[in-house]
Amino acid sequence: MMVDILMATYNGAKYVDEQIRSFCRQTYSDWRCIVHDDGSTDGTQQIIREWVSRDPRIVFIEDGVQGLGPAKHFIHMLQYSDAEWVMWSDQDDVWFADKVATMLAAGQRAAFKGAGVVYANAMLWNPEKGVIAPINTLFYPTNLRDTLFLNSGVQGASALFNAAMRELVKTPLSFYAMHDHVLLLAGLTMGEVVYVKKSLMYYRQHNANVTGNAPGSKWRKFELMWTNRHVPVVSREHLHGLRAFNDCFGEQLKSDDEDVIQTFLHLPECSWLRRFHIIRQTRFTLMGSRMLLWIKLCIRRYI
């Protein structure tokens, strides 16, 4: 059963070789790595071409499309995939040898009736410091009420999804916050989501991380909530991304999910007291905790 690994690259010459080597060490060998570069100027493309000449499973797409940014880049790559299963890969992580096999087994056990996605976890890692934290994903959302205040999706590089999900996610939206935001929204509203609560890769931590360094623990998450109290509760980018998702798929959603999204989109227009009442009534949480959400609402501006 073929698995397409879609790796988006941009000025990753320091990391790309090590990541591709981790693909080649996979215990499951029926995979194809499709690489697309966003306009690197540091030698990344030459490294990829060298791999193409050495391993027929490495495919370099040179379609002249550049300057997409991470979200649109990963979405753009979906058109080149036709395998039964798809995985996104960042250029700077290192996968454990059993990552593909473990996630594929979980996907097959799930026997998705339609669109489905499997998520694993990752170790926070720095090559100089070693393992910083044993997990990256601190919370496994299963519904929109526990998801929307996260201002994110589950890490895209930790996902494996089927062809039906690929067709959903590659539907063009008018705005993207991040590609993994769309994937999680689609999984929770129009598909199925399964979690493998095991770390299956090193998530490299460095100053160039697109999404910033991860907290690594709930206590660190709480500490950052206070340290970064100048940051609003709700990200405008993710709010716009949610609105674009709803504009595209709203008619396909279950009425309850549609109501939750519409309520969330309406909250910035509400007064402080009205907003608290609606959040309590709708049973929104942050990482499964109402208390954590109340605290965040009290110490930060809303948007």
Side-chain angles (χ1 to χ4, degrees):
M1 187 171 291
M2 177 62 73
V3 177
D4 277 343
I5 302 171
L6 308 183
M7 184 166 72
T9 62
Y10 179 69
N11 286 344
K14 293 180 181 178
Y15 318 113
V16 168
D17 183 77
E18 186 175 16
Q19 174 67 315
I20 295 178
R21 288 182 187 277
S22 76
F23 301 155
C24 295
R25 290 194 296 267
Q26 292 299 304
T27 58
Y28 186 83
S29 60
D30 194 10
W31 54 263
R32 172 178 57 176
C33 175
I34 301 173
V35 188
H36 188 281
D37 188 75
D38 207 25
S40 294
T41 57
D42 69 343
T44 297
Q45 295 185 27
Q46 181 57 35
I47 295 171
I48 298 165
R49 293 190 187 101
E50 290 172 2
W51 271 104
V52 169
S53 68
R54 291 155 56 186
D55 192 323
R57 295 175 298 179
I58 313 298
V59 178
F60 188 21
I61 302 296
E62 299 187 73
D63 57 7
V65 178
Q66 297 181 356
L68 295 170
K72 290 183 179 179
H73 195 183
F74 278 107
I75 299 297
H76 176 75
M77 293 185 70
L78 293 174
Q79 67 183 293
Y80 297 109
S81 169
D82 58 10
E84 298 97 322
W85 296 92
V86 188
M87 304 177 80
W88 277 324
S89 169
D90 294 331
Q91 64 185 1
D92 52 355
D93 300 328
V94 179
W95 289 14
F96 298 172
D98 62 340
K99 179 180 179 182
V100 175
T102 301
M103 298 191 71
L104 183 59
Q108 291 173 323
R109 285 195 302 271
F112 297 126
K113 297 180 179 64
V117 56
V118 179
Y119 289 104
N121 218 313
M123 291 186 179
L124 304 185
W125 169 77
N126 178 284
E128 286 76 36
K129 300 177 181 178
V131 175
I132 300 168
I135 59 171
N136 172 45
T137 301
L138 304 176
F139 177 69
Y140 301 98
T142 58
N143 61 73
L144 288 176
R145 289 177 174 82
D146 295 337
T147 302
L148 297 182
F149 278 100
L150 293 174
N151 289 318
S152 66
V154 178
Q155 184 183 22
S158 70
L160 169 118
F161 49 100
N162 63 9
M165 181 61 76
R166 176 182 61 222
E167 297 309 303
L168 278 178
V169 175
K170 76 178 187 181
T171 304
L173 303 184
S174 60
F175 182 87
Y176 292 95
M178 283 299 285
H179 55 291
D180 47 18
H181 182 229
V182 178
L183 179 61
L184 182 62
L185 290 175
L188 293 177
T189 59
M190 297 181 288
E192 299 174 69
V193 178
V194 169
Y195 294 100
V196 176
K197 298 180 180 180
K198 178 180 180 182
S199 292
L200 293 175
M201 71 178 188
Y202 289 128
Y203 177 23
R204 190 189 299 262
Q205 301 292 285
H206 53 75
N207 292 334
N209 283 111
V210 171
T211 54
N213 290 329
S217 70
K218 288 190 176 181
W219 170 249
R220 177 62 177 156
K221 181 81 171 179
F222 182 79
E223 182 183 0
L224 289 173
M225 185 188 299
W226 175 256
T227 303
N228 298 328
R229 56 191 180 276
H230 61 283
V231 177
V233 173
V234 172
S235 153
R236 289 185 184 275
E237 289 77 13
H238 286 86
L239 189 68
H240 294 333
L242 177 64
R243 183 175 289 109
F245 177 86
N246 190 60
D247 288 345
C248 181
F249 294 112
E251 293 183 358
Q252 301 179 44
L253 305 184
K254 294 176 288 188
S255 59
D256 183 60
D257 287 336
E258 170 70 4
D259 289 344
V260 170
I261 290 175
Q262 290 292 352
T263 298
F264 187 84
L265 292 174
H266 177 65
L267 287 174
E269 305 166 13
C270 298
S271 67
W272 189 83
L273 283 175
R274 177 64 178 159
R275 187 182 299 135
F276 263 71
H277 173 72
I278 292 173
I279 287 173
R280 179 176 179 275
Q281 188 177 49
T282 311
R283 305 188 308 281
F284 283 116
T285 76
L286 177 62
M287 299 179 69
S289 169
R290 294 190 189 184
M291 182 61 69
L292 201 59
L293 180 56
W294 297 139
I295 294 171
K296 191 172 186 178
L297 288 165
C298 289
I299 66 176
R300 296 188 181 189
R301 74 180 191 275
Y302 189 74
I303 194 167

